[in-house]
Amino acid sequence: MFNDDTKRKLAHILNGSSIEGTADNCTAARNYLCAGFSTGKTVKKNFEGQLIIKKEQEHCLKEFAQGYNLWVNQLPSHYLTRGGESQVYLEESGTHVIKTNDAVYYATWLEYFNSVMLHNLFFPDTAYNFLGFIKKADVLYAVVKQPFIIADGQARLQDIRSFLEYNGFENTKRQDYYHKEYGLILEDMHDENVIINTEKLFFIDTVFYIAANNGSTSD
């Protein structure tokens, strides 16, 4: 499924180590956090206990944004919708959307960046391009850019399930999935987060977690 470079990146994400030789902003932000924080495994009942760490990471990311000129000053004027964790805007070109995310679904900011990078590895057709950060009402938001895919039909849950199972994910409950080989949880894969165009599925909103029982080791 993956080439050697993608496997290398995946191994580093699972093990919480920095990824060298890649210059994009998302990798840089994640590496910045990895330098001071370990990649925690997902234990949802401990979200509140992670708030202090999340706040510490937020402070680090503000310093990172300042040092690397990654503050976004303005969002597109065409507001589309709010989808769970993101507010969505249509870019002026009409070919991409801009999404803001305050990482509310994640115990830490490092979990958020891991999820973004995992999405990009598994679903490159709808990869996120991390642009930087914006503050609204004293809340920090990550700003990402993603191809704008227009649905020409409604994705069937069975087709989503078949596609994910073909790629190693097992359905655990409702629309949640687990990848046993990599120890990854993929949640809420319903027909609003996956759309269909020309009979092809596009995964536009994903939430990945590294499971608590993940036993990966470095490559």
PDB file of all heavy atoms in Angstrom, residues 21 75 78-79 120 137 155 160 197:
ATOM      1  N   GLY A  21      14.175  15.660   6.721  1.00  0.00           N
ATOM      2  CA  GLY A  21      14.218  15.664   5.273  1.00  0.00           C
ATOM      3  C   GLY A  21      12.933  16.087   4.612  1.00  0.00           C
ATOM      4  O   GLY A  21      12.770  15.935   3.400  1.00  0.00           O
ATOM      5  N   LEU A  75      -8.914  35.298   6.765  1.00  0.00           N
ATOM      6  CA  LEU A  75      -9.557  34.126   6.180  1.00  0.00           C
ATOM      7  C   LEU A  75     -10.403  34.558   4.989  1.00  0.00           C
ATOM      8  O   LEU A  75     -10.792  35.712   4.882  1.00  0.00           O
ATOM      9  CB  LEU A  75     -10.440  33.431   7.221  1.00  0.00           C
ATOM     10  CG  LEU A  75      -9.711  32.853   8.432  1.00  0.00           C
ATOM     11  CD1 LEU A  75     -10.719  32.409   9.492  1.00  0.00           C
ATOM     12  CD2 LEU A  75      -8.822  31.679   8.018  1.00  0.00           C
ATOM     13  N   HIS A  78     -15.830  34.025   1.977  1.00  0.00           N
ATOM     14  CA  HIS A  78     -16.937  33.118   1.656  1.00  0.00           C
ATOM     15  C   HIS A  78     -16.981  31.961   2.662  1.00  0.00           C
ATOM     16  O   HIS A  78     -16.268  30.973   2.530  1.00  0.00           O
ATOM     17  CB  HIS A  78     -16.794  32.577   0.233  1.00  0.00           C
ATOM     18  CG  HIS A  78     -18.008  31.827  -0.240  1.00  0.00           C
ATOM     19  ND1 HIS A  78     -18.199  31.489  -1.554  1.00  0.00           N
ATOM     20  CD2 HIS A  78     -19.098  31.350   0.419  1.00  0.00           C
ATOM     21  CE1 HIS A  78     -19.336  30.842  -1.684  1.00  0.00           C
ATOM     22  NE2 HIS A  78     -19.888  30.726  -0.491  1.00  0.00           N
ATOM     23  N   TYR A  79     -17.807  32.112   3.686  1.00  0.00           N
ATOM     24  CA  TYR A  79     -17.952  31.075   4.714  1.00  0.00           C
ATOM     25  C   TYR A  79     -18.932  30.012   4.224  1.00  0.00           C
ATOM     26  O   TYR A  79     -20.031  30.332   3.766  1.00  0.00           O
ATOM     27  CB  TYR A  79     -18.456  31.698   6.012  1.00  0.00           C
ATOM     28  CG  TYR A  79     -18.738  30.710   7.121  1.00  0.00           C
ATOM     29  CD1 TYR A  79     -17.690  30.158   7.853  1.00  0.00           C
ATOM     30  CD2 TYR A  79     -20.044  30.334   7.434  1.00  0.00           C
ATOM     31  CE1 TYR A  79     -17.939  29.262   8.879  1.00  0.00           C
ATOM     32  CE2 TYR A  79     -20.293  29.445   8.459  1.00  0.00           C
ATOM     33  CZ  TYR A  79     -19.245  28.906   9.180  1.00  0.00           C
ATOM     34  OH  TYR A  79     -19.491  28.009  10.183  1.00  0.00           O
ATOM     35  N   ASN A 120      -2.899  12.712   5.458  1.00  0.00           N
ATOM     36  CA  ASN A 120      -2.176  12.966   4.220  1.00  0.00           C
ATOM     37  C   ASN A 120      -1.507  11.718   3.667  1.00  0.00           C
ATOM     38  O   ASN A 120      -1.367  11.569   2.445  1.00  0.00           O
ATOM     39  CB  ASN A 120      -1.148  14.073   4.435  1.00  0.00           C
ATOM     40  CG  ASN A 120      -1.783  15.425   4.648  1.00  0.00           C
ATOM     41  OD1 ASN A 120      -2.987  15.589   4.506  1.00  0.00           O
ATOM     42  ND2 ASN A 120      -0.976  16.408   5.018  1.00  0.00           N
ATOM     43  N   ALA A 137     -11.055  35.323  19.247  1.00  0.00           N
ATOM     44  CA  ALA A 137     -11.605  35.369  20.602  1.00  0.00           C
ATOM     45  C   ALA A 137     -10.685  34.649  21.585  1.00  0.00           C
ATOM     46  O   ALA A 137     -11.125  33.899  22.445  1.00  0.00           O
ATOM     47  CB  ALA A 137     -13.007  34.770  20.638  1.00  0.00           C
ATOM     48  N   ALA A 155     -22.280   9.111  -0.872  1.00  0.00           N
ATOM     49  CA  ALA A 155     -21.479   7.928  -0.583  1.00  0.00           C
ATOM     50  C   ALA A 155     -22.273   6.941   0.267  1.00  0.00           C
ATOM     51  O   ALA A 155     -22.934   7.331   1.228  1.00  0.00           O
ATOM     52  CB  ALA A 155     -20.196   8.329   0.143  1.00  0.00           C
ATOM     53  N   ILE A 160     -18.005   2.780   1.772  1.00  0.00           N
ATOM     54  CA  ILE A 160     -16.951   3.299   2.641  1.00  0.00           C
ATOM     55  C   ILE A 160     -16.313   2.163   3.433  1.00  0.00           C
ATOM     56  O   ILE A 160     -15.089   2.048   3.512  1.00  0.00           O
ATOM     57  CB  ILE A 160     -17.518   4.377   3.596  1.00  0.00           C
ATOM     58  CG1 ILE A 160     -18.030   5.581   2.804  1.00  0.00           C
ATOM     59  CG2 ILE A 160     -16.457   4.812   4.613  1.00  0.00           C
ATOM     60  CD1 ILE A 160     -18.809   6.582   3.638  1.00  0.00           C
ATOM     61  N   ASN A 197     -17.419  11.361  -5.980  1.00  0.00           N
ATOM     62  CA  ASN A 197     -17.379  12.120  -7.231  1.00  0.00           C
ATOM     63  C   ASN A 197     -16.840  11.192  -8.316  1.00  0.00           C
ATOM     64  O   ASN A 197     -15.786  10.569  -8.135  1.00  0.00           O
ATOM     65  CB  ASN A 197     -16.483  13.358  -7.091  1.00  0.00           C
ATOM     66  CG  ASN A 197     -16.442  14.187  -8.358  1.00  0.00           C
ATOM     67  OD1 ASN A 197     -15.780  13.830  -9.327  1.00  0.00           O
ATOM     68  ND2 ASN A 197     -17.148  15.306  -8.342  1.00  0.00           N
TER      69      ASN A 197
END
